[in-house]
Amino acid sequence: MSTHRFSSPTSHTTTTASRPNSPIAPAATPHLRDNNPFTERTRYPLPIELCPFAAGMSEDKFDRTFRTPGSIMLGAFGSQPTSRGRSQYIATLTIDGTMCCTTAEATGPIQALCYILDSFDIRLDIKTFRQRKMPDNPHHQYATFLEIENRYFTHWSIGYGTTSEEASLSALIAAANQYRQHQTTLRTSASTGITYTGSLDDTKERRAA
């Protein structure tokens, strides 16, 4: 049985950037491809879809925007093969301070964690998957970039890891925390009579009748 353990950054409440497919997004020029914290930190290029939104960001804002920490943290994550050609995945999650252990049968770790999060009513649909292998980086050999769509918004998340799997799971947990933050925004807006739609930063609002 293979097992991995993950750590999560400290929680905060900063919201996210607008959706990368926004019609007002600027073109990803060569200058924008270089002028972002990811490239400055790793010397590897960002996926072109993300460049217009990360250009000029500070490292702190970049991490808070795309590597959103929060109340959802992944602890141990392991798997063992089944007789049906799939694998049984076991995950230890901490959600709002409560630790729980849950399982899912899936064809791979990303699908498994999506199933597990869905069982907690956190629905994440992956629209775009990008990954960078960074063999020269002393801290993280992989970076995963996920464009996630759910019932509320579309957003990119980023995860790092020493393996492809670890980076992908880290990106999914960041996306789950983005989702929970938006749920909190919606609950708060209910008391003010304002309804929010669209992506988390590029948000339209209308006052309820």
Side-chain angles (χ1 to χ4, degrees), residues 132-209:
R132 289 269 187 267
K133 186 175 182 180
M134 307 180 295
D136 299 329
N137 189 298
H139 304 294
H140 306 290
Q141 281 70 57
Y142 290 87
T144 297
F145 311 87
L146 300 178
E147 185 184 18
I148 298 290
E149 185 176 65
N150 58 46
R151 70 186 74 171
Y152 298 119
F153 67 97
T154 301
H155 191 273
W156 284 84
S157 63
I158 299 175
Y160 299 116
T162 56
T163 66
S164 172
E165 177 180 312
E166 183 179 346
S168 298
L169 297 180
S170 176
L172 272 176
I173 292 299
N177 280 309
Q178 292 163 4
Y179 179 94
R180 289 297 296 274
Q181 283 191 7
H182 199 68
Q183 283 184 319
T184 300
T185 300
L186 290 175
R187 285 194 296 267
T188 302
S189 69
S191 63
T192 64
I194 297 176
T195 301
Y196 294 87
T197 60
S199 59
L200 214 56
D201 252 11
D202 187 23
T203 301
K204 302 174 183 178
E205 65 177 50
R206 61 179 177 80
R207 190 166 297 278

Side-chain angles (χ1 to χ4, degrees), residues 19-41:
R19 73 181 68 183
N21 58 0
S22 166
I24 63 173
T29 64
H31 172 68
L32 288 178
R33 294 208 71 178
D34 296 333
N35 183 27
N36 65 77
F38 177 83
T39 300
E40 292 170 0
R41 183 187 300 162

Side-chain angles (χ1 to χ4, degrees), residues 93 111-125 151 179:
L93 284 173
Q111 184 185 65
L113 186 54
C114 283
Y115 287 165
I116 289 170
L117 291 169
D118 190 53
S119 70
F120 293 96
D121 199 30
I122 301 170
R123 178 67 183 271
L124 304 177
D125 294 319
R151 70 186 74 171
Y179 179 94

Side-chain angles (χ1 to χ4, degrees), residues 39-50:
T39 300
E40 292 170 0
R41 183 187 300 162
T42 68
R43 302 305 174 190
Y44 288 88
L46 268 180
I48 194 168
E49 302 96 328
L50 268 172

Side-chain angles (χ1 to χ4, degrees), residues 18 60 118:
S18 59
D60 180 64
D118 190 53

